[in-house]
Amino acid sequence: MDVNFEASGGKITDVKVFSDSLYPQMIEEVQSSLRGVSYDKLGVSTAIERAKQRLAGTGTETHLEEFKDWLVK
């Protein structure tokens, strides 16, 4: 995965995630969830957790948890 953030004033203003994931809906949800949150560990973690809730039952929970762990480290 390749992730590009744009941030201003401590907030994520735009994000692009490039991936060969078999779950394009997951990528779209992650991008949407990250826009507007604080560009810090708490903001990113909260956004990914929100994406996990929205995508519950789609089989993406493990992928999102791994992605969150990778981003916040």
Side-chain angles (χ1 to χ4, degrees):
M1 296 185 96
D2 186 21
V3 182
N4 295 308
F5 289 104
E6 287 186 32
S8 178
K11 300 273 186 192
I12 297 172
T13 57
D14 197 18
V15 60
K16 298 285 185 204
V17 178
F18 301 94
S19 171
D20 59 355
S21 171
L22 298 177
Y23 302 100
Q25 179 186 8
M26 179 184 72
I27 301 302
E28 292 171 16
E29 186 62 44
V30 164
Q31 292 176 144
S32 175
S33 294
L34 285 167
R35 286 187 191 101
V37 302
S38 297
Y39 188 41
D40 58 21
K41 288 181 181 185
L42 179 59
V44 170
S45 292
T46 301
I48 301 300
E49 287 300 319
R50 186 176 10 188
K52 280 173 55 178
Q53 290 175 357
R54 290 181 181 159
L55 295 169
T58 62
T60 60
E61 292 85 359
T62 301
H63 299 293
L64 288 167
E65 190 63 31
E66 290 173 357
F67 184 65
K68 180 182 76 173
D69 289 346
W70 177 70
L71 280 178
V72 299
K73 288 185 181 181

